[in-house]
Amino acid sequence: MTKAQRDIIIFAAFCLAVLATPLLLQGNYLLNVFVFIGINTMLAVALNLLLGFAGQISLGHAAFFGLGAYISGILTTRYAIEPWMAMVAAALCVGVIAFIIGFPILKLKGHYLAMATLGFGIIVYIIFNETVDWTGGPSGMSGIPNLALGPLIFDSDMTNYYLIWVFTLLTMLLSINLADSRIGRALRAIHDSEVAARVMGVNVRLLKVQIFTVSALISALAGSLYAHTMTFIAPASFGFNFSVELVTMVIIGGLGSIYGSFLGAAILTLLPEFLRVFHDFDIIIYGLLLIVMTMFMPGGLIGGFEALAAAIKRRKEA
Amino acid sequence: MLTIKNINTYYGQVHALKNVSLHLQEGEIVTLIGANGAGKTTLLNTISGIVPPKSGQILFSGAPIHELPPHSIVERGISQVPEGRQVFKPLSVEDNLELGAYLRYRKRGGKKETKETMAMVFDLFPILLDRRKQLAGTLSGGEQQMLAIGRALMAKPKIMLLDEPSMGLAPLVVQEIFRVIENLAGEQKTTVLLVEQNARVALKTAARGYVLETGKVILEGEAADLMENKDVQRAYLGRDKKEIWER
């Protein structure tokens, strides 16, 4: 079995599991949580393209998510634009913004890049809060219309689940394909050594901006989907905390692993449901989780599983 | 084939290359020797566009290339094997080689041609064929150097810039690497600019040589003549062993 065939089988199995999940959860409030897992997976995979593949940190990805949500929200509620059109407009708009800020920002490396993206996230967050006439300010914006396909309106947990997961699965498929392509190799090369990548003929500067743009665009799409499924948005969902949470998802799952991003997103979305007893102390648990993971499983959960499987195989052979 | 005229390169305020001129003829091996910090690596990086020169000209087959970005220079046929090998450690040997053909891969029939060139590289370095699924980071130093050279060959370069291929390698491995370098120039007509600390081996392999000191070319000539030159003997050959020891 070649690697390509194995990839197809794994992806097909994953799709089946996604399709079947609602049947097991009928009427359960967890279905709503799984809608969020879908959105977060999409975001984590998008960030993973940048962080895990190209090795460029972003502490401002919640801003792209928020911009997607707000542009969609404003266009549909104030200008009565059709939700699907608003979604396309939001994604394109955020793509253009990312492309423009990408050139100066991605010249920076390491801590400086982290600071610059952090700054961008904070600026956008302030704009959400202060432009009250447009966004409703801190109290948020409501009455965002649901998406609809003909007579089918996406307004229940069940319909939302399938809507979101179609987009999430497409994002995953795109990313899995990218990983094994010429561009995927070039991204990993940049991650390892920019100078070596440049002497191979990789246009490092442009490629970094391009992947940043793709990543932001997918995040914006997730934002639009979020706005249209929740019908209510407020700045608090798009702050610095959420940017950090996204980075945590990617690292816990495993840098550069698409299914890892799903695992990370699932764990960090489900965890609060089980940590309710701890109230506001859940942030401490996230912190501990991140420390323990980076210390003992630097490859993330997927990397950890692989190491474990290899160890078991060795033991069997011995 | 490649003519460098009076180039000056700076790192910020530091004047790293001072009026350096040099030329390469087709199919010849030319070596650049000099101590640490003489500007050897800077010269290679200037040719490949990583650190563009402030003034002066670099002509490749008559056309100026000193204002082009690195990827255009690679596309025109100049590939660098960077100092310290710099193979992509988390990637497999195969992926490393495919990255070498990054610009050719997307062209018409590029995929097939890449396969053919890869077969040629495996012919040259059979050990890489055995290791092709392995991660580059798990290879020995010598194997990594072979991979770095193979990766540069994947671009089918007309000129290859080699930065200290003998660095940190056992003498036997160095011999093997240099045998391949001689082959490249002899059979495949690849022009080679070889930067070395190991002046003895470099001068034995090359036809001509340049000696660089604190950013200036202080000597040039036939390799055999340089080998006989008293200054070269004193500075680069006699203290050869000690220099390696000190690094």
Side-chain angles (χ1 to χ4, degrees):
Chain A
M1 191 160 54
T2 66
K3 188 171 175 301
Q5 284 169 326
R6 205 172 59 222
D7 281 353
I8 293 170
I9 291 172
I10 294 174
F11 187 72
F14 187 82
C15 286
L16 277 179
V18 166
L19 282 176
T21 303
L23 306 176
L24 303 171
L25 289 173
Q26 234 152 24
N28 194 319
Y29 85 103
L30 270 178
L31 188 57
N32 183 30
V33 177
F34 273 81
V35 175
F36 279 103
I37 293 179
I39 292 176
N40 288 342
T41 302
M42 204 167 154
L43 288 166
V45 169
L47 182 59
N48 205 349
L49 292 179
L50 189 68
L51 183 61
F53 287 26
Q56 309 297 311
I57 182 106
S58 168
L59 286 179
H61 250 52
F64 296 123
F65 178 52
L67 281 170
Y70 270 103
I71 294 173
S72 238
I74 291 169
L75 287 178
T76 47
T77 57
R78 318 241 155 181
Y79 298 98
I81 287 171
E82 216 263 324
W84 290 110
M85 291 300 294
M87 214 165 114
V88 173
L92 289 179
C93 204
V94 171
V96 170
I97 293 173
F99 191 75
I100 292 169
I101 68 165
F103 277 99
I105 277 190
L106 289 163
K107 272 190 176 172
L108 303 170
K109 291 190 174 78
H111 304 339
Y112 301 100
L113 178 62
M115 290 303 290
T117 49
L118 174 70
F120 172 73
I122 291 173
I123 291 169
V124 171
Y125 180 70
I126 292 174
I127 293 174
F128 290 158
N129 270 303
E130 298 302 323
T131 53
V132 180
D133 290 347
W134 291 86
T135 63
S139 48
M141 146 180 241
S142 56
I144 301 166
N146 286 116
L147 289 160
L149 264 185
L152 176 63
I153 299 168
F154 297 98
D155 60 353
S156 67
D157 279 350
M158 190 65 101
T159 48
N160 282 338
Y161 177 90
Y162 285 111
L163 170 72
I164 299 283
W165 273 98
V166 164
F167 280 91
T168 305
L169 289 173
L170 284 175
T171 305
M172 292 175 77
L173 188 63
L174 175 99
S175 308
I176 292 166
N177 272 319
L178 190 73
D180 273 326
S181 71
R182 168 177 165 272
I183 298 294
R185 281 193 297 271
L187 289 171
R188 285 184 290 158
I190 293 176
H191 193 166
D192 195 45
S193 162
E194 279 192 24
V195 174
R198 288 176 77 187
V199 297
M200 292 305 106
V202 179
N203 189 342
V204 170
R205 207 170 142 210
L206 184 64
L207 193 57
K208 283 203 291 194
V209 175
Q210 282 169 331
I211 198 68
F212 185 68
T213 306
V214 169
S215 176
L217 200 144
I218 295 173
S219 305
L221 214 55
S224 289
L225 287 166
Y226 176 82
H228 291 301
T229 50
M230 300 302 135
T231 70
F232 169 79
I233 49 176
S237 322
F238 313 114
F240 172 62
N241 273 349
F242 191 59
S243 286
V244 172
E245 222 174 290
L246 287 176
V247 173
T248 314
M249 287 175 195
V250 173
I251 292 176
I252 284 185
L255 287 170
S257 161
I258 304 300
Y259 296 105
S261 290
F262 159 71
L263 269 185
I267 289 170
L268 253 71
T269 317
L270 281 169
L271 213 54
E273 303 298 320
F274 300 113
L275 294 181
R276 287 251 166 88
V277 283
F278 297 106
H279 299 290
D280 290 342
F281 292 101
D282 57 353
I283 194 81
I284 296 177
I285 306 215
Y286 291 151
L288 281 176
L289 204 63
L290 201 56
I291 293 171
V292 171
M293 286 299 298
T294 40
M295 278 175 72
F296 298 106
M297 275 191 182
L301 283 174
I302 293 284
F305 288 148
E306 277 168 5
L308 195 69
I312 291 170
K313 199 175 158 198
R314 266 202 307 276
R315 182 158 293 184
K316 266 190 189 155
E317 278 167 6
Chain B
M1 178 167 216
L2 187 79
T3 314
I4 297 174
K5 284 187 200 159
N6 284 322
I7 53 164
N8 285 283
T9 301
Y10 292 80
Y11 285 113
Q13 295 291 312
V14 182
H15 197 173
L17 291 179
K18 299 161 192 161
N19 285 319
V20 171
S21 296
L22 176 154
H23 70 276
L24 300 176
Q25 273 152 10
E26 196 167 351
E28 103 181 309
I29 303 181
V30 172
T31 185
L32 199 62
I33 56 179
N36 273 342
K40 305 182 304 280
T41 298
T42 308
L43 181 54
L44 294 196
N45 284 341
T46 300
I47 297 172
S48 52
I50 303 278
V51 193
K54 263 242 169 82
S55 65
Q57 268 193 319
I58 303 177
L59 303 172
F60 179 42
S61 308
I65 58 163
H66 49 273
E67 278 169 353
L68 296 177
H71 54 96
S72 310
I73 293 176
V74 175
E75 197 153 27
R76 278 164 192 246
I78 302 183
S79 280
Q80 187 179 355
V81 181
E83 188 176 16
R85 311 182 258 279
Q86 300 217 26
V87 294
F88 302 112
K89 291 190 173 145
L91 271 63
S92 71
V93 166
E94 228 166 22
D95 281 351
N96 266 277
L97 291 174
E98 273 176 7
L99 266 161
Y102 180 75
L103 291 172
R104 296 174 55 218
Y105 198 80
R106 67 176 165 190
K107 298 218 171 89
R108 246 165 178 278
K111 231 172 169 168
K112 195 169 147 263
E113 272 184 40
T114 303
K115 281 249 154 61
E116 288 167 10
T117 320
M118 204 184 287
M120 189 269 291
V121 170
F122 286 147
D123 264 356
L124 217 54
F125 300 113
I127 188 83
L128 295 182
L129 181 64
D130 300 336
R131 304 240 188 275
R132 69 182 191 282
K133 298 279 178 208
Q134 236 169 287
L135 297 187
T138 64
L139 301 182
S140 74
E143 289 162 358
Q144 287 190 14
Q145 188 62 60
M146 293 175 198
L147 177 57
I149 293 174
R151 188 180 61 177
L153 284 174
M154 291 298 292
K156 288 226 159 169
K158 297 189 186 97
I159 298 182
M160 191 133 112
L161 311 172
L162 278 159
D163 201 346
E164 301 209 17
S166 75
M167 189 197 249
L169 299 183
L172 269 177
V173 183
V174 173
Q175 266 182 27
E176 194 181 338
I177 301 257
F178 273 80
R179 208 197 47 201
V180 171
I181 294 170
E182 273 178 85
N183 249 324
L184 282 180
E187 285 168 25
Q188 312 208 20
K189 299 284 170 234
T190 312
T191 309
V192 178
L193 180 58
L194 173 67
V195 158
E196 260 304 335
Q197 291 262 341
N198 190 339
R200 196 181 302 272
V201 187
L203 287 174
K204 246 188 238 162
T205 315
R208 289 188 305 118
Y210 292 81
V211 182
L212 213 57
E213 215 171 88
T214 59
K216 279 182 275 202
V217 173
I218 55 159
L219 268 176
E220 61 171 291
E222 302 288 317
D225 296 341
L226 287 178
M227 199 101 89
E228 298 299 316
N229 184 295
K230 284 277 179 294
D231 289 329
V232 174
Q233 281 183 347
R234 181 185 49 80
Y236 303 108
L237 297 174
R239 295 212 325 240
D240 207 4
K241 286 200 178 78
K242 188 156 172 265
E243 269 181 25
I244 289 173
W245 178 249
E246 278 172 352
R247 280 162 55 79

